[in-house]
Amino acid sequence: MNFSDAKDNILQILSRTDSQDLTKLISWMKHSDDLDNYLVDNQRAILQSIADDLRCSLPLEAMFPSETMAIQKTQQNPKPTMHVDAFLYDEETVDSLCEEGKMSRNFCLTCGSHRTAPMEFISHSFSISELQFLFLRVLPDLSGKLVVDVGSRLGAVLYGGYLYSTAAQLVGVEICEEFVKLQKMTVEKYGFSDRIQMIHADICSQAVLLQNADVLIMNNVFEYFMEPTDQVRAWQFISQNFLKKGALLVTVPSIQEALMSLQETNGVPAIGHWLQEVPLDYSVYLQNDADPDSLKQIHLYTVI
Ligand SMILES: C[S@@+](CC[C@H](N)C(=O)[O-])C[C@H]1O[C@@H](n2cnc3c(N)ncnc32)[C@H](O)[C@@H]1O
């Protein structure tokens, strides 16, 4: 059935629906996840295919043994915590893994008993829905712009930016070499190399890149990966180099929250003369699997 026939059929069904049920039917069409399978856009399908590829190249926790600090910090959390990468594992995949016994949403309070409590999950990547929100709702038209993802890890932001925006260049800077290799493989396989570049480096060595960037994305880059003194040094470096007036900074969590946790360390930069927050509308409907609480962690600032 072509578009015009399908549309006529839908209109006929609506005209035959009892008037008291019409609003309910339209609301179901707009919001029910029964229709999710029909709403998968082409870009999302490509991102899902990349996630499928990457899942095969990584252990379940999607961390390399070389990430000793991140592994230790995860283990030190007061509640049992597991890294579940939100780009690789959506809610549905986590549910299937739990059913197969490969993952658990709960931990046992007294070993062997049925008294359980929910595990804490953290993700070191944006989910596909968060990427859609970021590039389609948070950021303006990026034509001609240079976007830099600080700590690009699996490359999720780079692929999302390639597919959901018209940014001229997307550059990922990642300190862990194994992740840079994975990004390079993906960029080559999917033919993204005309607009995506990867740099294996500490962001603190990239002054010129920061000076030229129009958009800087920082998804919880430092908390799990650097000691507080190094985190302060990195924030200082960024605040001294990312200075193009009108440039945009996206952070998770808010920069205030990230810097607050470092207050006991000397040299935390002041942001009042550097950045101004841009209020975001978090109520937009995306896919039903978008977690409103995680969207609210995304904050946008302009360099003043
Ligand atoms: C939470 S992940 C962010 C992933 C990705 N940007 C996203 O949103 O999907 C943070 C990444 O930053 C990297 N990283 C930490 N400190 C860094 C630094 N100083 N320079 C470059 N990368 C860094 C870590 O290796 C890690 O892969």
Side-chain angles (χ1 to χ4, degrees):
M1 198 186 309
N2 65 23
F3 171 73
S4 159
D5 293 344
K7 193 175 110 186
D8 288 347
N9 270 296
I10 290 172
L11 289 172
Q12 256 191 40
I13 290 171
L14 290 173
S15 69
R16 293 207 310 268
T17 304
D18 293 343
S19 55
Q20 74 269 21
D21 285 334
L22 203 53
T23 319
K24 207 164 130 193
L25 179 66
I26 291 172
S27 166
W28 171 80
M29 288 172 78
K30 278 172 145 176
H31 302 296
S32 166
D33 37 354
D34 294 349
L35 299 181
D36 272 4
N37 286 345
Y38 301 99
L39 296 175
V40 172
D41 57 273
N42 198 31
Q43 287 93 333
R44 181 174 272 260
I46 297 172
L47 290 172
Q48 280 169 342
S49 163
I50 296 175
D52 290 345
D53 290 349
L54 292 175
R55 271 201 304 272
C56 299
S57 313
L58 285 161
L60 191 63
E61 285 222 9
M63 294 180 78
F64 286 114
S66 59
E67 298 189 281
T68 43
M69 185 177 304
I71 293 167
Q72 255 176 27
K73 286 202 176 191
T74 310
Q75 286 166 352
Q76 279 162 5
N77 270 2
K79 259 177 133 185
T81 302
M82 188 177 173
H83 175 234
V84 179
D85 192 285
F87 180 68
L88 301 181
Y89 300 96
D90 59 16
E91 288 293 308
E92 225 173 280
T93 321
V94 172
D95 284 343
S96 339
L97 288 168
C98 289
E99 273 163 31
E100 289 167 32
K102 292 185 181 155
M103 212 181 253
S104 173
R105 289 189 185 276
N106 297 300
F107 69 96
C108 189
L109 288 171
T110 358
C111 202
S113 86
H114 292 284
R115 291 184 62 232
T116 59
M119 290 275 277
E120 289 274 287
F121 282 178
I122 51 155
S123 170
H124 292 318
S125 296
F126 278 130
S127 66
I128 297 178
S129 296
E130 285 164 335
L131 292 170
Q132 266 188 306
F133 178 68
L134 176 63
F135 286 104
L136 300 179
R137 309 288 176 164
V138 172
L139 293 168
D141 177 11
L142 297 178
S143 305
K145 304 290 184 197
L146 167 63
V147 177
V148 175
D149 183 30
V150 182
S152 44
R153 201 164 183 87
L154 301 176
V157 168
L158 306 175
Y159 319 137
Y162 189 96
L163 294 165
Y164 288 123
S165 87
T166 50
Q169 281 299 314
L170 296 133
V171 179
V173 180
E174 172 55 58
I175 206 163
C176 174
E177 191 173 15
E178 287 129 309
F179 283 117
V180 178
K181 280 187 189 150
L182 274 186
Q183 290 171 38
K184 284 193 172 151
M185 250 170 49
T186 309
V187 165
E188 209 165 290
K189 173 167 176 187
Y190 287 85
F192 292 162
S193 55
D194 56 333
R195 288 163 55 215
I196 293 183
Q197 284 164 38
M198 287 104 353
I199 301 176
H200 170 220
D202 182 337
I203 191 62
C204 295
S205 67
Q206 299 298 311
V208 176
L209 184 66
L210 288 173
Q211 287 155 18
N212 289 329
D214 298 297
V215 178
L216 199 64
I217 313 237
M218 297 187 64
N219 178 13
N220 212 359
V221 187
F222 304 131
E223 186 189 344
Y224 278 85
F225 302 92
M226 290 210 279
E227 293 297 354
T229 44
D230 294 327
Q231 293 186 41
V232 169
R233 184 180 51 89
W235 279 113
Q236 280 173 348
F237 187 82
I238 289 165
S239 68
Q240 286 157 8
N241 286 288
F242 182 59
L243 290 172
K244 205 193 258 189
K245 209 170 170 209
L248 297 171
L249 171 68
V250 174
T251 68
V252 172
S254 72
I255 191 164
Q256 292 88 343
E257 194 181 321
L259 296 181
M260 184 81 80
S261 64
L262 300 169
Q263 279 313 317
E264 285 172 17
T265 316
N266 285 335
V268 176
I271 55 166
H273 297 293
W274 175 36
L275 301 169
Q276 184 169 29
E277 180 145 19
V278 181
L280 297 178
D281 177 6
Y282 297 102
S283 63
V284 286
Y285 171 74
L286 285 165
Q287 299 275 147
N288 280 0
D289 68 350
D291 170 10
D293 290 334
S294 65
L295 294 188
K296 284 183 194 147
Q297 292 288 312
I298 300 178
H299 292 260
L300 177 68
Y301 306 85
T302 318
V303 175
I304 46 179

